[in-house]
PDB file of all heavy atoms in Angstrom:
ATOM      1  N   ALA A1156      -9.909   0.640   8.740  1.00 97.00           N
ATOM      2  CA  ALA A1156      -9.497  -0.223   7.636  1.00 97.00           C
ATOM      3  C   ALA A1156      -7.964  -0.260   7.632  1.00 97.00           C
ATOM      4  O   ALA A1156      -7.289   0.582   8.250  1.00 97.00           O
ATOM      5  CB  ALA A1156     -10.004   0.306   6.292  1.00 97.00           C
ATOM      6  N   PHE A1157      -7.403  -1.220   6.917  1.00 97.00           N
ATOM      7  CA  PHE A1157      -5.976  -1.357   6.783  1.00 97.00           C
ATOM      8  C   PHE A1157      -5.563  -1.005   5.346  1.00 97.00           C
ATOM      9  O   PHE A1157      -6.134  -1.526   4.380  1.00 97.00           O
ATOM     10  CB  PHE A1157      -5.507  -2.762   7.133  1.00 97.00           C
ATOM     11  CG  PHE A1157      -5.665  -3.097   8.586  1.00 97.00           C
ATOM     12  CD1 PHE A1157      -6.787  -3.782   9.046  1.00 97.00           C
ATOM     13  CD2 PHE A1157      -4.707  -2.714   9.506  1.00 97.00           C
ATOM     14  CE1 PHE A1157      -6.951  -4.082  10.385  1.00 97.00           C
ATOM     15  CE2 PHE A1157      -4.851  -3.003  10.864  1.00 97.00           C
ATOM     16  CZ  PHE A1157      -5.976  -3.688  11.289  1.00 97.00           C
ATOM     17  N   VAL A1158      -4.614  -0.080   5.236  1.00 97.00           N
ATOM     18  CA  VAL A1158      -4.045   0.295   3.945  1.00 97.00           C
ATOM     19  C   VAL A1158      -2.581  -0.049   3.994  1.00 97.00           C
ATOM     20  O   VAL A1158      -1.771   0.697   4.582  1.00 97.00           O
ATOM     21  CB  VAL A1158      -4.269   1.800   3.667  1.00 97.00           C
ATOM     22  CG1 VAL A1158      -3.691   2.166   2.308  1.00 97.00           C
ATOM     23  CG2 VAL A1158      -5.738   2.185   3.784  1.00 97.00           C
ATOM     24  N   GLU A1159      -2.218  -1.172   3.379  1.00 95.00           N
ATOM     25  CA  GLU A1159      -0.836  -1.677   3.491  1.00 95.00           C
ATOM     26  C   GLU A1159      -0.449  -1.776   4.965  1.00 95.00           C
ATOM     27  O   GLU A1159      -1.108  -2.468   5.717  1.00 95.00           O
ATOM     28  CB  GLU A1159       0.119  -0.765   2.694  1.00 95.00           C
ATOM     29  CG  GLU A1159      -0.190  -0.710   1.198  1.00 95.00           C
ATOM     30  CD  GLU A1159       0.065  -2.014   0.483  1.00 95.00           C
ATOM     31  OE1 GLU A1159       0.893  -2.833   0.943  1.00 95.00           O
ATOM     32  OE2 GLU A1159      -0.542  -2.249  -0.574  1.00 95.00           O
ATOM     33  N   ASP A1160       0.612  -1.083   5.404  1.00 95.00           N
ATOM     34  CA  ASP A1160       1.043  -1.151   6.791  1.00 95.00           C
ATOM     35  C   ASP A1160       0.491   0.010   7.636  1.00 95.00           C
ATOM     36  O   ASP A1160       1.065   0.362   8.665  1.00 95.00           O
ATOM     37  CB  ASP A1160       2.562  -1.195   6.893  1.00 95.00           C
ATOM     38  CG  ASP A1160       3.232   0.006   6.243  1.00 95.00           C
ATOM     39  OD1 ASP A1160       2.572   0.719   5.468  1.00 95.00           O
ATOM     40  OD2 ASP A1160       4.431   0.251   6.503  1.00 95.00           O
ATOM     41  N   TRP A1161      -0.622   0.570   7.196  1.00 98.00           N
ATOM     42  CA  TRP A1161      -1.264   1.666   7.912  1.00 98.00           C
ATOM     43  C   TRP A1161      -2.656   1.236   8.419  1.00 98.00           C
ATOM     44  O   TRP A1161      -3.414   0.588   7.710  1.00 98.00           O
ATOM     45  CB  TRP A1161      -1.448   2.885   7.001  1.00 98.00           C
ATOM     46  CG  TRP A1161      -0.182   3.655   6.808  1.00 98.00           C
ATOM     47  CD1 TRP A1161       0.848   3.378   5.971  1.00 98.00           C
ATOM     48  CD2 TRP A1161       0.199   4.836   7.509  1.00 98.00           C
ATOM     49  NE1 TRP A1161       1.833   4.284   6.087  1.00 98.00           N
ATOM     50  CE2 TRP A1161       1.478   5.204   7.034  1.00 98.00           C
ATOM     51  CE3 TRP A1161      -0.410   5.610   8.505  1.00 98.00           C
ATOM     52  CZ2 TRP A1161       2.152   6.340   7.508  1.00 98.00           C
ATOM     53  CZ3 TRP A1161       0.264   6.718   8.979  1.00 98.00           C
ATOM     54  CH2 TRP A1161       1.540   7.081   8.474  1.00 98.00           C
ATOM     55  N   LEU A1162      -2.940   1.616   9.658  1.00 98.00           N
ATOM     56  CA  LEU A1162      -4.278   1.500  10.221  1.00 98.00           C
ATOM     57  C   LEU A1162      -4.899   2.884  10.127  1.00 98.00           C
ATOM     58  O   LEU A1162      -4.365   3.864  10.618  1.00 98.00           O
ATOM     59  CB  LEU A1162      -4.228   1.069  11.690  1.00 98.00           C
ATOM     60  CG  LEU A1162      -5.516   1.165  12.489  1.00 98.00           C
ATOM     61  CD1 LEU A1162      -6.553   0.156  12.001  1.00 98.00           C
ATOM     62  CD2 LEU A1162      -5.258   0.975  13.993  1.00 98.00           C
ATOM     63  N   VAL A1163      -6.056   2.969   9.439  1.00 98.00           N
ATOM     64  CA  VAL A1163      -6.748   4.237   9.226  1.00 98.00           C
ATOM     65  C   VAL A1163      -8.158   4.109   9.773  1.00 98.00           C
ATOM     66  O   VAL A1163      -8.865   3.118   9.446  1.00 98.00           O
ATOM     67  CB  VAL A1163      -6.790   4.616   7.743  1.00 98.00           C
ATOM     68  CG1 VAL A1163      -7.512   5.948   7.535  1.00 98.00           C
ATOM     69  CG2 VAL A1163      -5.392   4.670   7.132  1.00 98.00           C
ATOM     70  N   GLY A1164      -8.589   5.067  10.597  1.00 96.00           N
ATOM     71  CA  GLY A1164      -9.926   4.910  11.130  1.00 96.00           C
ATOM     72  C   GLY A1164     -10.473   6.127  11.839  1.00 96.00           C
ATOM     73  O   GLY A1164      -9.866   7.193  11.899  1.00 96.00           O
ATOM     74  N   HIS A1165     -11.674   5.911  12.365  1.00 96.00           N
ATOM     75  CA  HIS A1165     -12.446   6.920  13.072  1.00 96.00           C
ATOM     76  C   HIS A1165     -12.708   6.387  14.493  1.00 96.00           C
ATOM     77  O   HIS A1165     -13.761   5.793  14.740  1.00 96.00           O
ATOM     78  CB  HIS A1165     -13.758   7.187  12.338  1.00 96.00           C
ATOM     79  CG  HIS A1165     -14.450   8.439  12.749  1.00 96.00           C
ATOM     80  ND1 HIS A1165     -14.297   9.646  12.084  1.00 96.00           N
ATOM     81  CD2 HIS A1165     -15.291   8.721  13.786  1.00 96.00           C
ATOM     82  CE1 HIS A1165     -15.004  10.569  12.665  1.00 96.00           C
ATOM     83  NE2 HIS A1165     -15.620  10.037  13.702  1.00 96.00           N
ATOM     84  N   PRO A1166     -11.756   6.534  15.403  1.00 96.00           N
ATOM     85  CA  PRO A1166     -11.883   5.912  16.730  1.00 96.00           C
ATOM     86  C   PRO A1166     -12.987   6.558  17.556  1.00 96.00           C
ATOM     87  O   PRO A1166     -13.436   7.681  17.304  1.00 96.00           O
ATOM     88  CB  PRO A1166     -10.515   6.114  17.362  1.00 96.00           C
ATOM     89  CG  PRO A1166      -9.976   7.336  16.682  1.00 96.00           C
ATOM     90  CD  PRO A1166     -10.497   7.281  15.278  1.00 96.00           C
ATOM     91  N   ARG A1167     -13.402   5.854  18.591  1.00 93.00           N
ATOM     92  CA  ARG A1167     -14.395   6.392  19.526  1.00 93.00           C
ATOM     93  C   ARG A1167     -13.770   7.455  20.445  1.00 93.00           C
ATOM     94  O   ARG A1167     -14.482   8.279  21.015  1.00 93.00           O
ATOM     95  CB  ARG A1167     -14.973   5.269  20.379  1.00 93.00           C
ATOM     96  CG  ARG A1167     -15.724   4.228  19.588  1.00 93.00           C
ATOM     97  CD  ARG A1167     -16.159   3.050  20.468  1.00 93.00           C
ATOM     98  NE  ARG A1167     -17.141   3.466  21.431  1.00 93.00           N
ATOM     99  CZ  ARG A1167     -18.456   3.405  21.287  1.00 93.00           C
ATOM    100  NH1 ARG A1167     -18.954   2.955  20.139  1.00 93.00           N
ATOM    101  NH2 ARG A1167     -19.286   3.775  22.223  1.00 93.00           N
ATOM    102  N   ASN A1168     -12.463   7.390  20.609  1.00 93.00           N
ATOM    103  CA  ASN A1168     -11.768   8.255  21.559  1.00 93.00           C
ATOM    104  C   ASN A1168     -11.366   9.560  20.904  1.00 93.00           C
ATOM    105  O   ASN A1168     -11.152   9.671  19.709  1.00 93.00           O
ATOM    106  CB  ASN A1168     -10.521   7.568  22.104  1.00 93.00           C
ATOM    107  CG  ASN A1168     -10.789   6.143  22.520  1.00 93.00           C
ATOM    108  OD1 ASN A1168     -10.649   5.226  21.720  1.00 93.00           O
ATOM    109  ND2 ASN A1168     -11.202   5.946  23.751  1.00 93.00           N
ATOM    110  N   ALA A1169     -11.250  10.614  21.721  1.00 92.00           N
ATOM    111  CA  ALA A1169     -10.763  11.917  21.279  1.00 92.00           C
ATOM    112  C   ALA A1169      -9.898  12.500  22.380  1.00 92.00           C
ATOM    113  O   ALA A1169     -10.010  12.147  23.544  1.00 92.00           O
ATOM    114  CB  ALA A1169     -11.933  12.857  20.961  1.00 92.00           C
ATOM    115  N   SER A1170      -8.998  13.372  21.993  1.00 92.00           N
ATOM    116  CA  SER A1170      -8.092  14.020  22.946  1.00 92.00           C
ATOM    117  C   SER A1170      -7.887  15.473  22.523  1.00 92.00           C
ATOM    118  O   SER A1170      -8.048  15.831  21.365  1.00 92.00           O
ATOM    119  CB  SER A1170      -6.762  13.284  22.997  1.00 92.00           C
ATOM    120  OG  SER A1170      -5.798  13.995  23.779  1.00 92.00           O
ATOM    121  N   VAL A1171      -7.540  16.309  23.484  1.00 92.00           N
ATOM    122  CA  VAL A1171      -7.239  17.707  23.188  1.00 92.00           C
ATOM    123  C   VAL A1171      -5.754  17.856  22.800  1.00 92.00           C
ATOM    124  O   VAL A1171      -5.290  18.964  22.517  1.00 92.00           O
ATOM    125  CB  VAL A1171      -7.555  18.645  24.383  1.00 92.00           C
ATOM    126  CG1 VAL A1171      -9.050  18.621  24.638  1.00 92.00           C
ATOM    127  CG2 VAL A1171      -6.777  18.234  25.632  1.00 92.00           C
ATOM    128  N   ILE A1172      -5.018  16.749  22.807  1.00 92.00           N
ATOM    129  CA  ILE A1172      -3.625  16.757  22.438  1.00 92.00           C
ATOM    130  C   ILE A1172      -3.464  16.115  21.071  1.00 92.00           C
ATOM    131  O   ILE A1172      -3.727  14.924  20.910  1.00 92.00           O
ATOM    132  CB  ILE A1172      -2.770  15.993  23.474  1.00 92.00           C
ATOM    133  CG1 ILE A1172      -2.920  16.613  24.862  1.00 92.00           C
ATOM    134  CG2 ILE A1172      -1.288  15.983  23.042  1.00 92.00           C
ATOM    135  CD1 ILE A1172      -2.223  15.832  25.958  1.00 92.00           C
ATOM    136  N   PRO A1173      -3.082  16.873  20.052  1.00 92.00           N
ATOM    137  CA  PRO A1173      -2.938  16.296  18.705  1.00 92.00           C
ATOM    138  C   PRO A1173      -1.963  15.127  18.691  1.00 92.00           C
ATOM    139  O   PRO A1173      -0.910  15.170  19.295  1.00 92.00           O
ATOM    140  CB  PRO A1173      -2.401  17.465  17.872  1.00 92.00           C
ATOM    141  CG  PRO A1173      -2.814  18.695  18.618  1.00 92.00           C
ATOM    142  CD  PRO A1173      -2.760  18.312  20.070  1.00 92.00           C
ATOM    143  N   GLY A1174      -2.371  14.037  18.055  1.00 92.00           N
ATOM    144  CA  GLY A1174      -1.524  12.875  17.928  1.00 92.00           C
ATOM    145  C   GLY A1174      -1.658  11.857  19.036  1.00 92.00           C
ATOM    146  O   GLY A1174      -1.163  10.734  18.888  1.00 92.00           O
ATOM    147  N   ARG A1175      -2.280  12.212  20.142  1.00 94.00           N
ATOM    148  CA  ARG A1175      -2.311  11.289  21.292  1.00 94.00           C
ATOM    149  C   ARG A1175      -3.120  10.019  20.972  1.00 94.00           C
ATOM    150  O   ARG A1175      -2.649   8.891  21.255  1.00 94.00           O
ATOM    151  CB  ARG A1175      -2.890  11.979  22.510  1.00 94.00           C
ATOM    152  CG  ARG A1175      -3.209  11.003  23.660  1.00 94.00           C
ATOM    153  CD  ARG A1175      -3.425  11.696  24.972  1.00 94.00           C
ATOM    154  NE  ARG A1175      -2.149  12.127  25.552  1.00 94.00           N
ATOM    155  CZ  ARG A1175      -2.035  12.583  26.818  1.00 94.00           C
ATOM    156  NH1 ARG A1175      -3.113  12.689  27.574  1.00 94.00           N
ATOM    157  NH2 ARG A1175      -0.862  12.938  27.274  1.00 94.00           N
ATOM    158  N   VAL A1176      -4.289  10.162  20.363  1.00 96.00           N
ATOM    159  CA  VAL A1176      -5.123   8.989  20.097  1.00 96.00           C
ATOM    160  C   VAL A1176      -4.434   8.020  19.134  1.00 96.00           C
ATOM    161  O   VAL A1176      -4.354   6.818  19.403  1.00 96.00           O
ATOM    162  CB  VAL A1176      -6.503   9.408  19.618  1.00 96.00           C
ATOM    163  CG1 VAL A1176      -7.310   8.183  19.138  1.00 96.00           C
ATOM    164  CG2 VAL A1176      -7.282  10.115  20.742  1.00 96.00           C
ATOM    165  N   PRO A1177      -3.908   8.492  17.995  1.00 96.00           N
ATOM    166  CA  PRO A1177      -3.206   7.522  17.127  1.00 96.00           C
ATOM    167  C   PRO A1177      -1.977   6.893  17.784  1.00 96.00           C
ATOM    168  O   PRO A1177      -1.662   5.738  17.514  1.00 96.00           O
ATOM    169  CB  PRO A1177      -2.838   8.350  15.866  1.00 96.00           C
ATOM    170  CG  PRO A1177      -2.974   9.770  16.274  1.00 96.00           C
ATOM    171  CD  PRO A1177      -4.021   9.801  17.347  1.00 96.00           C
ATOM    172  N   VAL A1178      -1.274   7.642  18.632  1.00 96.00           N
ATOM    173  CA  VAL A1178      -0.143   7.050  19.348  1.00 96.00           C
ATOM    174  C   VAL A1178      -0.647   5.928  20.278  1.00 96.00           C
ATOM    175  O   VAL A1178      -0.070   4.839  20.324  1.00 96.00           O
ATOM    176  CB  VAL A1178       0.618   8.100  20.173  1.00 96.00           C
ATOM    177  CG1 VAL A1178       1.548   7.442  21.178  1.00 96.00           C
ATOM    178  CG2 VAL A1178       1.426   9.008  19.264  1.00 96.00           C
ATOM    179  N   PHE A1179      -1.718   6.160  20.992  1.00 96.00           N
ATOM    180  CA  PHE A1179      -2.260   5.141  21.876  1.00 96.00           C
ATOM    181  C   PHE A1179      -2.764   3.923  21.073  1.00 96.00           C
ATOM    182  O   PHE A1179      -2.614   2.789  21.488  1.00 96.00           O
ATOM    183  CB  PHE A1179      -3.395   5.708  22.722  1.00 96.00           C
ATOM    184  CG  PHE A1179      -2.929   6.549  23.896  1.00 96.00           C
ATOM    185  CD1 PHE A1179      -1.591   6.861  24.063  1.00 96.00           C
ATOM    186  CD2 PHE A1179      -3.826   7.043  24.827  1.00 96.00           C
ATOM    187  CE1 PHE A1179      -1.136   7.621  25.130  1.00 96.00           C
ATOM    188  CE2 PHE A1179      -3.397   7.810  25.904  1.00 96.00           C
ATOM    189  CZ  PHE A1179      -2.056   8.097  26.051  1.00 96.00           C
ATOM    190  N   LEU A1180      -3.375   4.210  19.902  1.00 96.00           N
ATOM    191  CA  LEU A1180      -3.839   3.092  19.077  1.00 96.00           C
ATOM    192  C   LEU A1180      -2.680   2.240  18.573  1.00 96.00           C
ATOM    193  O   LEU A1180      -2.828   1.010  18.401  1.00 96.00           O
ATOM    194  CB  LEU A1180      -4.638   3.629  17.876  1.00 96.00           C
ATOM    195  CG  LEU A1180      -6.054   4.133  18.148  1.00 96.00           C
ATOM    196  CD1 LEU A1180      -6.617   4.826  16.929  1.00 96.00           C
ATOM    197  CD2 LEU A1180      -6.970   2.965  18.559  1.00 96.00           C
ATOM    198  N   SER A1181      -1.541   2.847  18.391  1.00 96.00           N
ATOM    199  CA  SER A1181      -0.378   2.104  17.900  1.00 96.00           C
ATOM    200  C   SER A1181       0.066   1.053  18.929  1.00 96.00           C
ATOM    201  O   SER A1181       0.768   0.101  18.556  1.00 96.00           O
ATOM    202  CB  SER A1181       0.775   3.060  17.582  1.00 96.00           C
ATOM    203  OG  SER A1181       1.344   3.592  18.758  1.00 96.00           O
ATOM    204  N   ARG A1182      -0.297   1.194  20.180  1.00 96.00           N
ATOM    205  CA  ARG A1182       0.038   0.191  21.185  1.00 96.00           C
ATOM    206  C   ARG A1182      -0.753  -1.096  20.938  1.00 96.00           C
ATOM    207  O   ARG A1182      -0.265  -2.184  21.187  1.00 96.00           O
ATOM    208  CB  ARG A1182      -0.283   0.717  22.582  1.00 96.00           C
ATOM    209  CG  ARG A1182       0.514   1.950  23.002  1.00 96.00           C
ATOM    210  CD  ARG A1182       0.002   2.486  24.355  1.00 96.00           C
ATOM    211  NE  ARG A1182       0.746   3.653  24.791  1.00 96.00           N
ATOM    212  CZ  ARG A1182       0.424   4.363  25.863  1.00 96.00           C
ATOM    213  NH1 ARG A1182      -0.637   4.019  26.608  1.00 96.00           N
ATOM    214  NH2 ARG A1182       1.144   5.426  26.207  1.00 96.00           N
ATOM    215  N   LYS A1183      -1.973  -0.971  20.452  1.00 95.00           N
ATOM    216  CA  LYS A1183      -2.806  -2.118  20.180  1.00 95.00           C
ATOM    217  C   LYS A1183      -2.445  -2.781  18.846  1.00 95.00           C
ATOM    218  O   LYS A1183      -2.731  -3.966  18.623  1.00 95.00           O
ATOM    219  CB  LYS A1183      -4.296  -1.740  20.158  1.00 95.00           C
ATOM    220  CG  LYS A1183      -4.842  -1.264  21.489  1.00 95.00           C
ATOM    221  CD  LYS A1183      -6.333  -0.990  21.383  1.00 95.00           C
ATOM    222  CE  LYS A1183      -7.149  -2.227  21.072  1.00 95.00           C
ATOM    223  NZ  LYS A1183      -8.598  -1.945  21.079  1.00 95.00           N
ATOM    224  N   TYR A1184      -1.879  -1.984  17.950  1.00 95.00           N
ATOM    225  CA  TYR A1184      -1.529  -2.496  16.622  1.00 95.00           C
ATOM    226  C   TYR A1184      -0.046  -2.233  16.390  1.00 95.00           C
ATOM    227  O   TYR A1184       0.353  -1.316  15.664  1.00 95.00           O
ATOM    228  CB  TYR A1184      -2.378  -1.802  15.565  1.00 95.00           C
ATOM    229  CG  TYR A1184      -3.864  -2.036  15.739  1.00 95.00           C
ATOM    230  CD1 TYR A1184      -4.647  -1.189  16.520  1.00 95.00           C
ATOM    231  CD2 TYR A1184      -4.481  -3.155  15.154  1.00 95.00           C
ATOM    232  CE1 TYR A1184      -5.995  -1.425  16.706  1.00 95.00           C
ATOM    233  CE2 TYR A1184      -5.838  -3.388  15.342  1.00 95.00           C
ATOM    234  CZ  TYR A1184      -6.591  -2.522  16.118  1.00 95.00           C
ATOM    235  OH  TYR A1184      -7.921  -2.750  16.290  1.00 95.00           O
ATOM    236  N   PRO A1185       0.801  -3.069  17.007  1.00 94.00           N
ATOM    237  CA  PRO A1185       2.239  -2.788  17.054  1.00 94.00           C
ATOM    238  C   PRO A1185       2.961  -2.912  15.711  1.00 94.00           C
ATOM    239  O   PRO A1185       4.129  -2.560  15.621  1.00 94.00           O
ATOM    240  CB  PRO A1185       2.773  -3.810  18.042  1.00 94.00           C
ATOM    241  CG  PRO A1185       1.777  -4.923  18.022  1.00 94.00           C
ATOM    242  CD  PRO A1185       0.448  -4.284  17.775  1.00 94.00           C
ATOM    243  N   ARG A1186       2.293  -3.371  14.679  1.00 93.00           N
ATOM    244  CA  ARG A1186       2.922  -3.495  13.374  1.00 93.00           C
ATOM    245  C   ARG A1186       2.474  -2.409  12.405  1.00 93.00           C
ATOM    246  O   ARG A1186       2.893  -2.403  11.233  1.00 93.00           O
ATOM    247  CB  ARG A1186       2.629  -4.873  12.771  1.00 93.00           C
ATOM    248  CG  ARG A1186       3.187  -6.029  13.575  1.00 93.00           C
ATOM    249  CD  ARG A1186       2.912  -7.371  12.893  1.00 93.00           C
ATOM    250  NE  ARG A1186       3.458  -8.483  13.668  1.00 93.00           N
ATOM    251  CZ  ARG A1186       3.352  -9.757  13.328  1.00 93.00           C
ATOM    252  NH1 ARG A1186       2.709 -10.068  12.188  1.00 93.00           N
ATOM    253  NH2 ARG A1186       3.882 -10.703  14.068  1.00 93.00           N
ATOM    254  N   CYS A1187       1.633  -1.507  12.880  1.00 96.00           N
ATOM    255  CA  CYS A1187       1.042  -0.521  11.976  1.00 96.00           C
ATOM    256  C   CYS A1187       1.443   0.912  12.303  1.00 96.00           C
ATOM    257  O   CYS A1187       1.575   1.265  13.481  1.00 96.00           O
ATOM    258  CB  CYS A1187      -0.475  -0.613  12.031  1.00 96.00           C
ATOM    259  SG  CYS A1187      -1.152  -2.175  11.434  1.00 96.00           S
ATOM    260  N   ASN A1188       1.608   1.720  11.258  1.00 97.00           N
ATOM    261  CA  ASN A1188       1.489   3.145  11.424  1.00 97.00           C
ATOM    262  C   ASN A1188      -0.006   3.446  11.585  1.00 97.00           C
ATOM    263  O   ASN A1188      -0.857   2.687  11.113  1.00 97.00           O
ATOM    264  CB  ASN A1188       2.011   3.875  10.172  1.00 97.00           C
ATOM    265  CG  ASN A1188       3.489   3.555   9.892  1.00 97.00           C
ATOM    266  OD1 ASN A1188       4.360   4.073  10.539  1.00 97.00           O
ATOM    267  ND2 ASN A1188       3.710   2.675   8.918  1.00 97.00           N
ATOM    268  N   VAL A1189      -0.335   4.572  12.212  1.00 98.00           N
ATOM    269  CA  VAL A1189      -1.745   4.850  12.507  1.00 98.00           C
ATOM    270  C   VAL A1189      -2.099   6.263  12.068  1.00 98.00           C
ATOM    271  O   VAL A1189      -1.360   7.226  12.317  1.00 98.00           O
ATOM    272  CB  VAL A1189      -2.025   4.709  14.020  1.00 98.00           C
ATOM    273  CG1 VAL A1189      -3.513   5.003  14.312  1.00 98.00           C
ATOM    274  CG2 VAL A1189      -1.669   3.311  14.520  1.00 98.00           C
ATOM    275  N   ALA A1190      -3.247   6.378  11.392  1.00 98.00           N
ATOM    276  CA  ALA A1190      -3.805   7.676  11.005  1.00 98.00           C
ATOM    277  C   ALA A1190      -5.282   7.663  11.386  1.00 98.00           C
ATOM    278  O   ALA A1190      -5.991   6.722  11.053  1.00 98.00           O
ATOM    279  CB  ALA A1190      -3.640   7.941   9.515  1.00 98.00           C
ATOM    280  N   SER A1191      -5.733   8.724  12.075  1.00 97.00           N
ATOM    281  CA  SER A1191      -7.112   8.701  12.571  1.00 97.00           C
ATOM    282  C   SER A1191      -7.754  10.069  12.469  1.00 97.00           C
ATOM    283  O   SER A1191      -7.083  11.103  12.375  1.00 97.00           O
ATOM    284  CB  SER A1191      -7.158   8.210  14.023  1.00 97.00           C
ATOM    285  OG  SER A1191      -6.479   9.101  14.894  1.00 97.00           O
ATOM    286  N   GLY A1192      -9.087  10.035  12.494  1.00 96.00           N
ATOM    287  CA  GLY A1192      -9.898  11.238  12.503  1.00 96.00           C
ATOM    288  C   GLY A1192     -10.654  11.340  13.819  1.00 96.00           C
ATOM    289  O   GLY A1192     -10.210  10.873  14.852  1.00 96.00           O
ATOM    290  N   HIS A1193     -11.827  11.963  13.755  1.00 95.00           N
ATOM    291  CA  HIS A1193     -12.762  12.106  14.868  1.00 95.00           C
ATOM    292  C   HIS A1193     -12.432  13.242  15.822  1.00 95.00           C
ATOM    293  O   HIS A1193     -13.318  13.968  16.257  1.00 95.00           O
ATOM    294  CB  HIS A1193     -12.910  10.826  15.663  1.00 95.00           C
ATOM    295  CG  HIS A1193     -13.868  10.918  16.822  1.00 95.00           C
ATOM    296  ND1 HIS A1193     -15.198  11.251  16.638  1.00 95.00           N
ATOM    297  CD2 HIS A1193     -13.693  10.776  18.164  1.00 95.00           C
ATOM    298  CE1 HIS A1193     -15.804  11.289  17.841  1.00 95.00           C
ATOM    299  NE2 HIS A1193     -14.913  11.016  18.754  1.00 95.00           N
ATOM    300  N   GLY A1194     -11.159  13.443  16.154  1.00 93.00           N
ATOM    301  CA  GLY A1194     -10.795  14.449  17.150  1.00 93.00           C
ATOM    302  C   GLY A1194     -10.806  15.869  16.628  1.00 93.00           C
ATOM    303  O   GLY A1194     -10.729  16.831  17.398  1.00 93.00           O
ATOM    304  N   HIS A1195     -10.891  16.022  15.277  1.00 94.00           N
ATOM    305  CA  HIS A1195     -10.923  17.365  14.652  1.00 94.00           C
ATOM    306  C   HIS A1195      -9.650  18.153  14.931  1.00 94.00           C
ATOM    307  O   HIS A1195      -9.647  19.360  14.819  1.00 94.00           O
ATOM    308  CB  HIS A1195     -12.144  18.166  15.124  1.00 94.00           C
ATOM    309  CG  HIS A1195     -13.458  17.549  14.723  1.00 94.00           C
ATOM    310  ND1 HIS A1195     -14.662  18.015  15.207  1.00 94.00           N
ATOM    311  CD2 HIS A1195     -13.749  16.525  13.917  1.00 94.00           C
ATOM    312  CE1 HIS A1195     -15.644  17.288  14.712  1.00 94.00           C
ATOM    313  NE2 HIS A1195     -15.118  16.365  13.903  1.00 94.00           N
ATOM    314  N   LEU A1196      -8.592  17.450  15.302  1.00 94.00           N
ATOM    315  CA  LEU A1196      -7.288  18.086  15.453  1.00 94.00           C
ATOM    316  C   LEU A1196      -6.332  17.497  14.406  1.00 94.00           C
ATOM    317  O   LEU A1196      -6.623  16.482  13.772  1.00 94.00           O
ATOM    318  CB  LEU A1196      -6.740  17.840  16.864  1.00 94.00           C
ATOM    319  CG  LEU A1196      -7.588  18.375  18.011  1.00 94.00           C
ATOM    320  CD1 LEU A1196      -6.909  18.095  19.346  1.00 94.00           C
ATOM    321  CD2 LEU A1196      -7.826  19.876  17.862  1.00 94.00           C
ATOM    322  N   ALA A1197      -5.205  18.161  14.231  1.00 95.00           N
ATOM    323  CA  ALA A1197      -4.264  17.719  13.204  1.00 95.00           C
ATOM    324  C   ALA A1197      -2.835  17.753  13.759  1.00 95.00           C
ATOM    325  O   ALA A1197      -2.475  18.696  14.471  1.00 95.00           O
ATOM    326  CB  ALA A1197      -4.357  18.603  11.960  1.00 95.00           C
TER     327      ALA A1197
END
């Protein structure tokens, strides 16, 4: 979902490196900050 200028979601992807998935998602959504779950990392 979109919350103002934030993309918030539960992506299909996961990584063992904290922050990697939301950084990669930011490439697809160049106008958004990104916050995500699913990876169980912080």
